Structure formats: structure tokens, C-alpha cells
Amino acid sequence: MTDALKLGQAYVKASVELRSNTDQLEEMLKNGIVDSPEFNELWQKRDEAYTAWNNVSMLLRDLPVEGMAVVVNEINRMQTNMACI
């Protein structure tokens, strides 16, 4: 597996984790659960997920055009596979 493919997979994984965390936080906010250890733990995980996503995004910006094309194709492939689940 090439580095570009690994970056594409890491980007999709980080994006999915960040989206899932956002959904969980929204649910807790709707239910008024904000002064709890669970909310604080979830918020910490959000910080970690955002940092992971941001780090991968920064690495993607440094790829040459050929590498970026591989990454975009991998991201599209993985998102298509996830939509089928």
C-alpha cells in the first residue's frame, strides 16, 4: 500500500470519527446532557478526532499532484463503500 493510499484511508477514518462524535454531541445537547462526565469525555474525544483529521489534512496538502489523485480516488472509493453499508 502506498503512502498516498494510507493517507486517504486515514483521512476517511478521521472524517468518520469526527462526524460520529458530532452526532453524539448533538444528541447529548438536545437532551440537555452537558454537565456530565460522559459529555466531557466525548468532548475530549472530539478534540482528539479533530486533531487527527487536521493532521491528515495538512499532510494531504503536501502531496504532489499524482499522490493527490490517488488519495482522491481512495477517498471516493471508501465513501462509496460506506454508503452501501
Side-chain angles (χ1 to χ4, degrees), residues 1-83:
M1 182 179 307
T2 67
D3 289 341
L5 280 177
K6 289 178 187 175
L7 281 175
Q9 291 174 347
Y11 179 85
V12 170
K13 180 180 181 233
S15 297
V16 168
E17 288 173 359
L18 191 57
R19 169 64 9 218
S20 173
N21 180 275
T22 298
D23 292 344
Q24 292 173 36
L25 281 172
E26 286 177 352
E27 188 65 28
M28 291 183 93
L29 288 168
K30 284 180 194 174
N31 293 324
I33 306 171
V34 293
D35 292 328
S36 68
E38 294 83 10
F39 184 84
N40 291 332
E41 182 180 336
L42 195 56
W43 197 264
Q44 177 63 36
K45 288 180 181 179
R46 180 179 185 67
D47 288 343
E48 294 167 6
Y50 176 79
T51 298
W53 175 84
N54 189 55
N55 288 343
V56 173
S57 296
M58 290 177 66
L59 290 171
L60 292 175
R61 291 183 198 121
D62 293 335
L63 285 176
V65 173
E66 298 83 15
M68 182 55 75
V70 169
V71 170
V72 168
N73 286 334
E74 180 65 7
I75 290 170
N76 287 337
R77 185 191 68 76
M78 290 180 74
Q79 288 176 334
T80 299
N81 288 344
M82 284 191 297

